[in-house]
Amino acid sequence: MAVDSGGSGLRVVVGAAGRGPLARSASREPVRTGSRGIDPGHLMEQLAPMARGLAAEAGIGRLDTAVVGAAGLASLGDALRAELPAALARELGVRRVALAADAVTAYVGALGPRPGAVVAAGTGLIAVGTDLTGWRRADGWGHLLGDCGGGAWIGRAGLEAALRAHDGRDNGSGRLLELAEEMFGPAALLPGRLYPRTDRAAVLASFAPRVAECADGDAVAADILRAAARHMADSAAAVCPKTGPGRGGRAGSAPGEGPDGDADEPLVAFTGGLLNLGAPLLVPLDEELAKRLPRARRVTAEGDPLHGAVRIATDLATDSFTLPGDEKMLCVTSPAGEEGADAPDIHT
């Protein structure tokens, strides 16, 4: 079973090694976050009936392996790590559980078990990299402290430029002011409409497409997207391994002998809904990436975070799992007291 738990709800896939995904479902209710962080009880309330129904649909008697990719796991996942493996064993018979930050499942979905760097850019932004011996993370600190270059960051910068135009200050954009007032009403009322909202990151991000829309003829909007691209490239550079897939992917290979090309040509992929902004963002992104990582090879992401969770589950089920463990970002456990060679009770 592979699970992607994010801000829009749960996506769940059930399958079998050698047969691939056999059944899938989704809910639109995000898992609650409270004083203990991500709520394992609320996750199981949604997941258990979905998993039972999917297993029956797929003709699977017991779910042996489960991978749960969860947004916020690294900083809000203590209760999930403490309680979810036993809950999955009790409710569904699962013997092996991998808990992964959604940035890790996004990485595996994009690149698979290869060294490189992946930037996941949507409302927020986080970069993850690995040389297959450990994980590196950059940003992902939320819209108040970071997520630089993400959708909320672009939207906030666009609204700031609109308010500068409203005030008559330099570097404002009359076009962005028009678009802001079309979406949110009079500019002077914008703080009162935005600040009290608990979903203000998503509201800010909703303005990012408007920034891209007028970037072709508006220098201020174009500069915002250039700055966003620079932040994205900076985050990629911060986590990118120094060597590429030749050395990281096969021990002892010489430069140029790796399975994916030059050993000194690390792979970089970008994934997430922000890429839908198109050329106004992607063109400066390619240019900024060439400046920051001139030897990197940008590749198209193979899949999304759910695809990454499926890949991890398949590798675990077939004993071909090779990714490095991390206490906060990726751990593989079995329920307490489980015995047997195929049910390890260690962090992998």
Side-chain angles (χ1 to χ4, degrees), residues 227-252:
R230 192 176 304 118
H231 282 304
M232 295 172 74
D234 285 346
S235 290
V239 302
C240 194
K242 295 183 184 298
T243 57
R247 290 175 189 166
R250 189 177 70 188

Side-chain angles (χ1 to χ4, degrees), residues 14-305:
V14 163
R19 299 169 62 194
L22 300 174
R24 63 184 65 219
S25 185
S27 82
R28 295 185 178 180
E29 182 180 4
V31 175
R32 288 192 297 263
T33 300
S35 59
R36 300 174 63 231
I38 303 169
D39 186 340
H42 188 227
L43 175 59
M44 287 301 300
E45 286 175 15
Q46 295 190 65
L47 180 57
M50 291 173 67
R52 292 189 189 102
L54 291 174
E57 179 183 340
I60 294 174
R62 190 185 75 170
L63 297 168
D64 183 77
T65 300
V67 174
V68 179
L73 181 78
S75 55
L76 298 170
D78 287 348
L80 213 61
R81 282 184 285 268
E83 299 176 19
L84 195 63
L88 288 168
R90 183 174 60 251
E91 297 290 335
L92 301 171
V94 173
R95 299 171 62 199
R96 183 181 295 179
V97 178
L99 298 179
D102 60 341
V104 170
T105 54
Y107 182 100
V108 179
L111 288 184
R114 297 184 290 175
V118 170
V119 177
T123 296
L125 184 140
I126 187 170
V128 175
T130 182
D131 58 2
L132 299 186
T133 65
W135 293 95
R136 289 181 60 86
R137 163 191 169 168
D139 213 335
W141 303 121
H143 72 286
L144 293 178
L145 298 175
D147 286 357
C148 298
W153 187 94
I154 292 171
R156 187 212 56 78
L159 291 172
E160 180 187 341
L163 290 173
R164 285 200 300 268
H166 173 267
D167 294 345
R169 291 179 283 152
D170 290 343
N171 298 316
S173 166
R175 179 57 180 147
L176 287 175
L177 176 60
E178 292 175 9
L179 292 172
E181 293 194 323
E182 284 179 13
M183 284 189 67
F184 301 110
L189 301 180
L190 184 58
R193 295 180 184 274
L194 180 63
Y195 291 161
R197 296 186 63 144
T198 58
D199 63 342
R200 59 181 171 270
V203 176
L204 289 169
S206 72
F207 194 63
R210 304 287 80 78
V211 178
E213 177 183 313
C214 62
D216 188 43
D218 187 292
V220 172
D223 285 346
I224 290 171
L225 293 175
R226 169 70 65 175
R230 192 176 304 118
H231 282 304
M232 295 172 74
D234 285 346
S235 290
V239 302
C240 194
K242 295 183 184 298
T243 57
R247 290 175 189 166
R250 189 177 70 188
S253 59
E257 293 183 357
D260 296 283
D262 191 336
D264 295 317
E265 186 183 57
L267 301 179
V268 178
F270 294 83
T271 185
L274 196 65
L275 303 186
N276 294 331
L277 295 185
L281 175 65
L282 299 183
V283 170
L285 178 59
D286 281 337
E287 294 170 356
E288 295 298 329
L289 189 65
K291 295 176 186 176
R292 294 292 283 113
L293 287 171
R295 295 191 61 82
R297 176 158 57 96
R298 181 177 171 187
V299 298
T300 301
E302 296 175 0
D304 65 7

Side-chain angles (χ1 to χ4, degrees), residues 8-21:
S8 59
L10 289 180
R11 295 187 297 160
V12 185
V13 166
V14 163
R19 299 169 62 194

Side-chain angles (χ1 to χ4, degrees), residues 81 85-86 89 94-98 331-340 342-348:
R81 282 184 285 268
V94 173
R95 299 171 62 199
R96 183 181 295 179
V97 178
C331 59
V332 181
T333 66
S334 65
E338 185 78 38
E339 297 180 356
D342 58 346
D345 59 357
I346 61 171
H347 290 75
T348 304

